[in-house]
Amino acid sequence: MTVSYAHIQGGVDAPQGFLTSAISCGIKNPDATRLDLALIYSEKPCAAAATFTTNRVKAAPVKLSQAHFRKGEIRAIITNSGNANACTGLIGIRDAKAMCSAAAKGLKLNMSQVGVCSTGVIGLPMPMQRITPRIPELVAALGKNQGSDVAAAIITSDTHPKQIAIEVEIDGHPVRIGGCVKGAGMISPSMATMLCFITTDAHLTQEGLQKYVLECVEESFNRITIDGDMSTNDTVMVLANGSNGMPTIRRNSSAGKQFAAALKYVMLHLAKAVVKDGERVTKFVTVAVQGARTYLDAKKVAEAVSKSALVKSSWNGGDPNWGRIIHAVGYSRARIREELIDIHINDKAACLGGLQAQTPMDELREVVAHREFSVQINLNQGSATYEMYTSDLSPEYVDFNRSEYAYWKQARKDGLV
Amino acid sequence: MTVSYAHIQGGVDAPQGFLTSAISCGIKNPDATRLDLALIYSEKPCAAAATFTTNRVKAAPVKLSQAHFRKGEIRAIITNSGNANACTGLIGIRDAKAMCSAAAKGLKLNMSQVGVCSTGVIGLPMPMQRITPRIPELVAALGKNQGSDVAAAIITSDTHPKQIAIEVEIDGHPVRIGGCVKGAGMISPSMATMLCFITTDAHLTQEGLQKYVLECVEESFNRITIDGDMSTNDTVMVLANGSNGMPTIRRNSSAGKQFAAALKYVMLHLAKAVVKDGERVTKFVTVAVQGARTYLDAKKVAEAVSKSALVKSSWNGGDPNWGRIIHAVGYSRARIREELIDIHINDKAACLGGLQAQTPMDELREVVAHREFSVQINLNQGSATYEMYTSDLSPEYVDFNRSEYAYWKQARKDGLV
């Protein structure tokens, strides 16, 4: 299904009935002036749904937000970059509660109506002395047309803020969906990582929204990899406040399908933006597996290829190395037969029936020299398919991730360790 | 069990009744003068056991050797570096057979009495015109005290040959075990990779030897990782010819246990040597997990930590980053409780009960600055343990693996593609 959507100005601020703000607290470093604390607020009650990291080590804000989302009355989200508040024990829970509590007080909500997300270094306590006193100011700054500031406040090692907003007509009503995301190390513990916030003025039930969010996350954020690591903080939060005045979108209705498609479009756009802005990434590669015996086999193959350090290193070098691709297919644990495997790079045959194809090497090299290309792997064993979005692996990625000593030194200055 | 063994001169040539040779054929490049074709020969019938890659894409020599080892009459091994003979289809099988056949002819054996191993680039046909005509010369060169040449002939991106030989007395008989190994990219498809050959003059049955080989491989070669990739060519072959005149070592006997311990010592030495000589590796790290609920949980944790690109990048930077270690523990799928986890680096506490320990950061940094250290992870949930041996990940590793275009260019010159 290739529907095209009208992109509009802004991000999470674009849908009706949402206010946002962001300020600079110097969380990572007291001298820094960049935005690092943000707030998203729905002017009226809304449906709220979220998915969280499956890492068994969960950051304090993840644990707290899970409890708050279960209550089902979320109206606001407070989020910071510069510190992940992960592996911080009871102190971390206390700090995450303090953030929700201060925001709730300013917004005249209950604490459990506020979701909280943090991203940044792991294992160091939050410098709350620089955060809590500033939250009234954050609340006072709420306004329209400030979604870009939220997108800017959540980034860490990202090179630029990433947001999108679209408008689509569903059953005669204009529906807006806006979102922002931060990623970079996918999923790095210390830059504990992927956060995504989405707002919409469509009208949904809690259950309906949760169902669509799960479906769309499965086909977007669960399909991307940069370094194969999984964060302690990964979170996607979606608020739907019905401010556009439409009747409730029913599950399994035609309107529901249209909404799900639009939501998936937004999530996929943001998910791909995360890969493209991955740490020291120079290539965006779509790995499309077809002809698998089962969905799970297709997924195993796509994941093995998308995560292989050797495959990714070869892409960084502009080398159309199908030998490395087929070797990853081989160790994926999927049921494959080597002699049936075809591999194409942007529709040019690199490997046919498990053997080198006749395409001149220079033609393949030209394709892999591009910033974006796709690798199609046909197992020729069935009809199941799976698609993933991945990047190359660069020497600069490793170099970038060699040390976080600077974080520790700042925490020592702050008297936190 | 810490038994110490007397190291003796040589490698696969050290046990009685084995002859070896190696010559230079210019397989990778006709102008090269390095050794790249080797032969190991037992003067009398012997027990032979082997383990092969579990990658579903298997190189031609792996498929052929599996068939030959099943027949149970192996007396010789022929092996080359410079080309893996993988993903080469029926031509690859024909070429592997030609190698066995030519060696068998010279040695007056049946073709199925010869094992064959190749290592090097994947997906390009073997330059047989430079190999087959040289095999009579290889056979004629067989002699004693040439094990080092075998160790040298099999290396690819390794920086140096790796061999060991020990002597141990079992039931009053001197038993010698010798071996050599090549690794480097563990397990890289193109340098399709780990080969290990071991000889012994101990007297074992085929079944007894196979059992000990499986056990020892499980506790040595299956415990190492450099880049998490798994080769199409991985092979361990062991020949036991009973030339020391001892009676057959019975399974489950005291002699059997002593032999197994000595064999494990040799394999572990060679396995660790592979990690230490990994591609662009600067650290050798033992990851020791304890306190797991089950063996499988301990294994999952050890593997996740040992393979994490972010953990390995931090070691490269000399950063004792326990946050990255605990995040990998979290996504390992093992049953863990964050608040129970202790992490020590060389016995210095980095994390206690899931929180930063009090050890001064500079003390931890000093430990991680060493070329070798160990990371102890105690899950405090049970009594199961698992130990793995891993390396750092360096920018130079990625840079080294960016392109294999040179191989393709040579194959084009050879008229093979």
Side-chain angles (χ1 to χ4, degrees):
Chain A
M1 185 168 48
T2 43
V3 187
S4 88
Y5 295 94
H7 286 231
I8 58 174
Q9 202 68 19
V12 287
D13 57 320
Q16 297 176 60
F18 288 96
L19 302 177
T20 69
S21 60
I23 61 173
S24 168
C25 300
I27 294 173
K28 184 172 164 185
N29 172 343
D31 302 326
T33 55
R34 51 155 297 198
L35 299 170
D36 56 8
L37 188 67
L39 186 63
I40 300 169
Y41 170 66
S42 171
E43 292 177 304
K44 43 184 280 192
C46 57
T51 61
F52 298 95
T53 181
T54 56
N55 197 312
R56 292 202 187 198
V57 175
K58 291 187 205 308
V62 168
K63 291 176 189 164
L64 190 64
S65 290
Q66 284 180 319
H68 289 184
F69 271 78
R70 267 196 297 274
K71 287 210 172 175
E73 297 167 349
I74 295 289
R75 286 272 299 274
I77 298 163
I78 185 167
T79 177
N80 73 278
S81 60
N83 188 311
N85 194 7
C87 300
T88 43
L90 291 176
I91 289 174
I93 296 287
R94 182 200 68 191
D95 293 346
K97 281 185 175 170
M99 287 172 69
C100 290
S101 173
K105 194 173 165 200
L107 297 168
K108 300 195 171 42
L109 300 173
N110 295 323
M111 192 182 89
S112 65
Q113 292 182 279
V114 182
V116 57
C117 290
S118 299
T119 177
V121 71
I122 276 191
L124 297 175
M126 297 273 278
M128 292 305 289
Q129 69 276 24
R130 295 200 290 276
I131 300 172
T132 320
R134 304 290 304 284
I135 293 178
E137 186 186 330
L138 180 72
V139 174
L142 280 173
K144 290 301 293 178
N145 303 322
Q146 298 178 147
S148 306
D149 290 349
V150 177
I154 59 175
I155 65 174
T156 51
S157 57
D158 309 63
T159 64
H160 58 86
K162 289 170 279 291
Q163 66 173 4
I164 180 179
I166 63 168
E167 187 169 291
V168 54
E169 199 177 281
I170 298 181
D171 280 357
H173 296 269
V175 167
R176 290 179 167 197
I177 307 178
C180 61
V181 71
K182 61 88 46 182
M186 170 71 183
I187 300 303
S188 120
S190 45
M191 301 286 142
T193 292
M194 212 276 302
L195 301 184
C196 173
F197 306 113
I198 292 175
T199 56
T200 177
D201 46 22
H203 194 188
L204 289 113
T205 62
Q206 194 82 8
E207 297 69 30
L209 183 63
Q210 184 69 44
K211 173 176 173 284
Y212 294 135
V213 168
L214 286 177
E215 279 174 14
C216 294
V217 165
E218 177 56 31
E219 299 192 0
S220 57
F221 294 109
N222 286 350
R223 302 277 181 120
I224 60 174
T225 181
I226 293 173
D227 53 23
D229 279 295
M230 177 203 288
S231 157
T232 49
N233 292 49
D234 288 354
T235 301
V236 176
M237 291 181 176
V238 183
L239 305 186
N241 67 5
S243 286
N244 70 350
M246 75 190 302
T248 309
I249 294 178
R250 303 265 156 233
R251 269 162 72 173
N252 306 321
S253 64
S254 150
K257 281 183 192 138
Q258 289 171 64
F259 176 77
L263 182 62
K264 181 182 159 187
Y265 177 86
V266 167
M267 284 195 187
L268 203 52
H269 176 94
L270 292 171
K272 289 180 177 177
V274 167
V275 177
K276 290 176 189 175
D277 193 28
E279 283 171 359
R280 305 307 188 259
V281 153
T282 72
K283 308 277 180 189
F284 176 83
V285 185
T286 301
V287 175
V289 177
Q290 49 183 303
R293 289 169 62 162
T294 63
Y295 176 83
L296 204 61
D297 275 343
K299 184 176 176 180
K300 282 177 184 167
V301 168
E303 289 188 342
V305 172
S306 298
K307 291 180 177 177
S308 160
L310 280 160
V311 170
K312 292 158 81 83
S313 296
S314 70
W315 290 337
N316 183 256
D319 189 8
N321 201 316
W322 67 269
R324 292 188 180 175
I325 294 171
I326 201 170
H327 115 282
V329 173
Y331 71 65
S332 69
R333 296 181 190 275
R335 287 162 298 175
I336 58 109
R337 285 179 56 194
E338 178 182 345
E339 65 276 20
L340 297 180
I341 298 173
D342 298 335
I343 301 174
H344 288 75
I345 305 181
N346 267 13
D347 299 319
K348 285 184 192 292
C351 161
L352 293 175
L355 299 172
Q356 172 121 9
Q358 293 304 313
T359 311
M361 179 64 84
D362 290 338
E363 277 187 35
L364 293 170
R365 281 166 60 86
E366 197 189 309
V367 173
V368 178
H370 292 151
R371 196 179 154 78
E372 295 193 19
F373 56 87
S374 76
V375 173
Q376 297 109 32
I377 302 165
N378 195 333
L379 304 180
N380 287 305
Q381 294 221 289
S383 57
T385 64
Y386 197 89
E387 200 165 287
M388 276 193 81
Y389 312 99
T390 186
S391 66
D392 60 339
L393 172 65
S394 65
E396 294 76 17
Y397 167 89
V398 180
D399 195 47
F400 180 74
N401 281 296
R402 290 176 77 239
S403 181
E404 292 176 330
Y405 189 46
Y407 283 93
W408 181 85
K409 281 196 289 194
Q410 181 58 48
R412 162 61 44 107
K413 270 191 211 159
D414 288 338
L416 295 170
V417 289
Chain B
M1 184 167 50
T2 43
V3 187
S4 88
Y5 294 94
H7 286 230
I8 58 175
Q9 202 68 18
V12 287
D13 57 320
Q16 297 176 61
F18 288 96
L19 302 177
T20 69
S21 60
I23 61 173
S24 167
C25 301
I27 294 173
K28 183 172 165 186
N29 173 342
D31 303 326
T33 55
R34 50 155 299 197
L35 298 171
D36 55 7
L37 187 67
L39 186 62
I40 301 170
Y41 170 66
S42 172
E43 293 176 303
K44 43 185 279 192
C46 57
T51 62
F52 298 95
T53 181
T54 56
N55 197 313
R56 291 203 190 201
V57 175
K58 292 187 205 307
V62 168
K63 291 176 188 166
L64 190 64
S65 290
Q66 284 180 319
H68 289 184
F69 272 78
R70 266 197 298 274
K71 287 212 172 175
E73 296 168 349
I74 296 289
R75 285 271 300 274
I77 300 164
I78 185 165
T79 178
N80 73 278
S81 60
N83 188 312
N85 195 5
C87 300
T88 44
L90 289 177
I91 290 174
I93 296 288
R94 181 200 67 190
D95 293 346
K97 280 185 176 171
M99 288 173 70
C100 289
S101 173
K105 192 172 167 201
L107 297 167
K108 301 195 170 44
L109 299 174
N110 295 323
M111 193 183 91
S112 65
Q113 291 183 278
V114 182
V116 56
C117 289
S118 299
T119 178
V121 71
I122 275 190
L124 296 175
M126 296 274 277
M128 292 306 288
Q129 70 275 24
R130 295 201 291 275
I131 300 174
T132 319
R134 305 289 304 284
I135 293 179
E137 186 186 331
L138 180 72
V139 173
L142 280 173
K144 290 300 294 178
N145 303 320
Q146 299 178 147
S148 307
D149 290 347
V150 177
I154 58 175
I155 65 175
T156 51
S157 57
D158 309 63
T159 65
H160 57 84
K162 290 171 276 292
Q163 66 172 3
I164 180 180
I166 64 169
E167 185 168 294
V168 53
E169 199 177 282
I170 298 181
D171 281 358
H173 296 269
V175 167
R176 291 178 166 197
I177 306 178
C180 61
V181 71
K182 62 87 46 181
M186 173 69 187
I187 299 303
S188 119
S190 45
M191 301 287 143
T193 293
M194 213 277 302
L195 301 184
C196 174
F197 305 112
I198 292 176
T199 55
T200 177
D201 47 21
H203 194 187
L204 288 112
T205 62
Q206 193 84 4
E207 297 69 31
L209 182 63
Q210 184 69 44
K211 173 176 173 282
Y212 294 135
V213 168
L214 285 178
E215 280 175 15
C216 293
V217 165
E218 178 57 32
E219 298 191 1
S220 56
F221 294 110
N222 286 349
R223 302 278 181 118
I224 60 174
T225 181
I226 293 173
D227 53 23
D229 279 296
M230 177 204 288
S231 159
T232 48
N233 292 51
D234 288 354
T235 301
V236 176
M237 292 181 175
V238 184
L239 305 185
N241 67 4
S243 286
N244 71 350
M246 76 189 302
T248 309
I249 294 177
R250 304 265 154 233
R251 269 162 73 174
N252 305 320
S253 65
S254 149
K257 282 182 192 135
Q258 289 171 64
F259 176 77
L263 182 62
K264 182 181 160 188
Y265 177 85
V266 166
M267 285 197 187
L268 203 51
H269 176 94
L270 292 171
K272 289 180 178 177
V274 166
V275 177
K276 289 176 190 174
D277 192 26
E279 284 172 353
R280 307 307 189 257
V281 152
T282 72
K283 308 276 179 190
F284 176 84
V285 185
T286 301
V287 175
V289 177
Q290 51 182 301
R293 289 170 62 164
T294 62
Y295 175 82
L296 203 60
D297 275 344
K299 184 177 176 179
K300 284 176 183 167
V301 168
E303 287 189 344
V305 172
S306 298
K307 291 180 176 179
S308 161
L310 280 159
V311 170
K312 291 158 81 83
S313 295
S314 70
W315 290 337
N316 184 256
D319 189 8
N321 201 314
W322 68 269
R324 292 189 180 175
I325 295 171
I326 201 171
H327 115 280
V329 173
Y331 73 65
S332 70
R333 299 181 187 274
R335 288 162 298 176
I336 59 107
R337 285 179 56 194
E338 179 181 344
E339 65 275 21
L340 297 180
I341 298 173
D342 298 335
I343 300 174
H344 287 75
I345 306 181
N346 268 14
D347 299 319
K348 286 185 192 291
C351 161
L352 292 175
L355 300 171
Q356 172 121 10
Q358 293 304 312
T359 311
M361 180 63 85
D362 290 337
E363 278 187 35
L364 293 171
R365 281 166 60 85
E366 197 189 309
V367 173
V368 178
H370 292 151
R371 194 176 155 80
E372 295 192 20
F373 55 88
S374 75
V375 172
Q376 298 107 32
I377 302 165
N378 195 334
L379 304 179
N380 288 304
Q381 293 220 290
S383 57
T385 65
Y386 197 89
E387 200 165 287
M388 275 192 82
Y389 311 99
T390 186
S391 66
D392 59 339
L393 172 65
S394 66
E396 293 77 17
Y397 167 88
V398 180
D399 195 47
F400 180 73
N401 281 295
R402 289 175 79 239
S403 182
E404 292 178 330
Y405 189 48
Y407 283 94
W408 181 85
K409 281 197 289 192
Q410 181 58 49
R412 163 61 42 110
K413 271 192 213 161
D414 288 339
L416 296 169
V417 291

